Amino acid sequence: MTERTENEVAVTVPTSWMAGFAAVGAAVGLGAAFAVGPAVTWLLELVDAAPGPLRVVAALPAAAAIPLLCLVGAGLGLAAARQWRKDVGVTTVSPEGVTVRRDGGQQHIDRGRVSGAFLDGHDLVLLDRRTVELLRSKTDQALAGRLHAAFEAFDYPWRGTADPHENEYAAWVDGTGPLDARAHDLLRIRQRALRDAQPGAADHALDELRALGISVRDRRDGQQYRVAPAD
């Protein structure tokens, strides 16, 4: 969804896409209504057993099974779409700044601090004039066009759908590289906080790293960091 007023644009998963998920779920349910009977018969012939819920549905007349499974499928599709919208949250862009609302919280970055905006995989990233990250928030590549339009509508510098500093990142290895002891301590604290599901402690360590001019992102093999040029 892209909601625009005179002073702001809000970007999230569109309601029409959520309706599409429900429609696809209903279609899958319709197919299941015709497939469940043969599937139960096959299982009974193969192993002389079938899950109870499948046997109950297979015993229903088609006039009952079809609407029931269509309704269940639509409900599951809508639930998946709602979770998707919850995961990406709402990004609101205005002349005053950028506000991201996710997981019951929000973060605001003033317009004057933003020197670049782009997508890095499934993350929306904002940079300051030194190229230190101001914000890294989960979004989705499917929303790239809407985010691009929202940022350009208010003359923010949009950098595209890849990190322009991709080649400057290095994998963090504790105690090695150009980082000082404090940076290693903070990366260690953040790694432990993420492992122990303590997002508050992880965010606090990340804020301190950014204050030191260090941007951090997570990859499958661990944390990666990039040191911004000195003023």
Side-chain angles (χ1 to χ4, degrees):
M1 177 176 63
T2 304
E3 294 184 355
R4 177 161 189 173
T5 67
E6 183 178 348
N7 296 316
E8 64 180 33
V9 178
V11 180
T12 187
V13 175
T15 302
S16 61
W17 292 8
M18 298 178 70
F21 269 64
V24 170
V28 172
L30 176 62
F34 292 98
V36 68
V40 168
T41 300
W42 177 75
L43 286 171
L44 290 174
E45 292 175 350
L46 182 67
V47 296
D48 196 28
L54 287 183
R55 298 178 69 168
V56 169
V57 173
L60 293 174
I66 290 174
L68 173 62
L69 291 181
C70 284
L71 184 62
V72 170
L76 292 174
L78 186 58
R82 285 177 172 167
Q83 184 61 49
W84 185 21
R85 178 181 276 190
K86 179 181 177 182
D87 287 344
V88 303
V90 181
T91 300
T92 302
V93 185
S94 74
E96 287 72 41
V98 181
T99 302
V100 175
R101 296 177 177 85
R102 286 186 65 244
D103 298 329
Q106 72 174 44
Q107 185 174 0
H108 177 81
I109 305 296
D110 289 338
R111 171 65 182 90
R113 300 178 64 196
V114 180
S115 68
F118 58 90
L119 292 186
D120 179 16
H122 292 288
D123 293 335
L124 170 66
V125 181
L126 304 182
L127 302 181
D128 68 9
R129 62 180 180 81
R130 289 182 58 203
T131 75
V132 179
E133 288 182 5
L134 297 167
L135 175 143
R136 178 178 284 269
S137 179
K138 184 177 179 181
T139 184
D140 198 286
Q141 285 280 349
L143 300 176
R146 286 171 164 79
L147 289 166
H148 181 185
F151 280 97
E152 288 205 334
F154 298 105
D155 297 322
Y156 285 77
W158 179 255
R159 306 302 187 199
T161 56
D163 191 331
H165 303 281
E166 176 69 29
N167 295 331
E168 299 172 26
Y169 278 91
W172 175 63
V173 179
D174 197 352
T176 67
L179 301 177
D180 61 19
R182 180 55 180 161
H184 281 295
D185 284 343
L186 291 168
L187 284 161
R188 199 177 300 118
I189 290 168
R190 183 173 182 271
Q191 182 182 62
R192 185 164 53 247
L194 291 173
R195 183 191 62 207
D196 297 340
Q198 297 178 332
D203 288 344
H204 182 72
L206 181 59
D207 288 341
E208 289 197 47
L209 285 160
R210 288 172 174 169
L212 295 174
I214 301 170
S215 299
V216 180
R217 65 184 186 182
D218 297 308
R219 290 296 183 263
R220 186 175 301 176
D221 56 351
Q223 300 180 101
Q224 295 182 352
Y225 69 92
R226 175 175 62 81
V227 181
D231 282 329

